[in-house]
Amino acid sequence: MNSVLKLFDLTGRRALITGSSTGIGFALARGLGVAGARVILNGRNEARLRDAVRTLHDEGIEAEASGFDATSQSEVETAIERVEAGFGPIDILVNNAGMQRRAPLEEFSQEQWRELMQTNVDSVFLVGKTVARFMIGRGAGKIINICSVQSELGRPNIAAYTATKGAVKMLTKGMAIDWGQHGIQVNGLGPGYFKTELTQALVNDETFSKWLIGRTPSRRWGDVEDLVGAAVFLASDASKFVNGHILYVDGGVTATL
């Protein structure tokens, strides 16, 4: 049994999590840290990033901050080189940076479309390929791209968001195909509806919450801690022959009409 548990041990590994000062990203960083990884938190709000790192330090987790814009190629390249040189090789990458914009598609502006695409898709491409270049040289690495149930399913007024998450799903498969030969596993983690700062308005909407809970076989909203086990699995040796897979943690939403 001990040998099986060791497959999930991340001690000594370094994990970069983009968009991790709050919400799902922070929960994943904390979970990987508890599993033994040294975590590098990323975000654009320096004050929020410092607070997040301080919280993890207080919990006994080894953490550092790397503030950069994940949609800027120059910032990404500079930051990744700095992390690799100063903090150590990145063994695990979690591409979590993302955003949501809600509006009927016919009213969606080109600027809003570009903003969503840059944040949700370009960031995965830019950070993914930059980190992968280092991983390829080492012949090993784990990349987890944060997808969504909207990688599979649609909802009113989020067509653009659904397009971005569908793109992340297929980009994940493409990364796995190109980089699997180099000892890199690239998989997606697809959250369902989770209670976070960004979804609090929906949580508070009694009509929506009632509909969602009735639509979800597990009959509740997700808590961010529900994602940790899946993330540790995909980041660890336990998943060393899992590649190009999207693991949905959604309480069963994608299983039912």
Side-chain angles (χ1 to χ4, degrees):
M1 179 60 72
N2 286 337
S3 62
V4 172
L5 295 178
K6 285 180 180 178
L7 290 174
F8 297 88
D9 186 6
L10 302 179
T11 299
R13 303 189 189 184
R14 300 164 186 84
L16 169 64
I17 306 94
T18 65
S20 51
S21 57
T22 61
I24 287 174
F26 180 73
L28 295 179
R30 172 187 270 154
L32 296 179
V34 170
R38 301 169 62 191
V39 296
I40 305 109
L41 274 62
N42 159 261
R44 291 184 288 188
N45 186 314
E46 295 288 349
R48 192 179 296 166
L49 202 54
R50 285 194 300 270
D51 289 343
V53 170
R54 188 179 304 114
T55 297
L56 294 185
H57 283 170
D58 291 343
E59 296 176 4
I61 295 171
E62 190 170 358
E64 299 288 341
S66 181
F68 63 87
D69 182 350
T71 70
S72 166
Q73 180 167 328
S74 61
E75 286 194 34
V76 167
E77 291 178 349
T78 299
I80 298 306
E81 288 177 3
R82 186 183 301 121
V83 168
E84 286 270 339
F87 195 68
I90 298 169
D91 304 296
I92 302 159
L93 168 65
V94 181
N95 279 311
N96 173 74
M99 68 184 305
Q100 171 68 289
R101 290 284 183 266
R102 298 176 184 275
L105 187 57
E106 71 274 12
E107 297 175 10
F108 218 78
S109 69
Q110 188 174 13
E111 289 72 23
Q112 289 174 311
W113 173 269
R114 285 175 175 166
E115 182 184 35
L116 269 183
M117 285 292 174
Q118 286 174 345
T119 303
N120 294 358
V121 184
D122 290 5
S123 65
V124 177
F125 165 68
L126 291 172
V127 182
K129 73 168 184 175
T130 304
V131 172
R133 287 170 180 160
F134 288 93
M135 290 179 170
I136 288 170
R138 293 189 286 268
K142 295 279 190 173
I143 298 177
I144 303 170
N145 296 329
I146 303 305
C147 298
S148 167
V149 291
Q150 267 78 49
S151 296
E152 301 291 342
L153 306 172
R155 284 282 298 153
N157 298 330
I158 58 168
Y161 178 80
T162 301
T164 67
K165 289 303 182 179
V168 173
K169 178 185 77 169
M170 295 311 298
L171 182 55
T172 298
K173 294 177 181 292
M175 287 176 167
I177 293 165
D178 282 4
W179 300 336
Q181 62 186 311
H182 302 293
I184 300 170
Q185 291 88 56
V186 187
N187 293 288
L189 181 60
Y193 283 84
F194 280 75
K195 295 178 182 177
T196 69
E197 298 92 331
L198 296 178
T199 61
Q200 193 58 52
L202 290 176
V203 174
N204 294 339
D205 184 329
E206 291 186 9
T207 300
F208 181 85
S209 273
K210 183 178 179 180
W211 170 83
L212 177 66
I213 291 169
R215 169 75 169 75
T216 304
S218 293
R219 294 295 185 264
R220 66 177 177 87
W221 281 81
D223 296 315
V224 290
E225 290 77 15
D226 293 324
L227 292 165
V228 171
V232 171
F233 166 68
L234 293 177
S236 71
D237 288 342
S239 61
K240 63 184 177 181
F241 201 56
V242 178
N243 214 359
H245 178 71
I246 314 300
L247 176 54
Y248 291 101
V249 182
D250 62 0
V253 165
T254 54
T256 180
L257 290 173

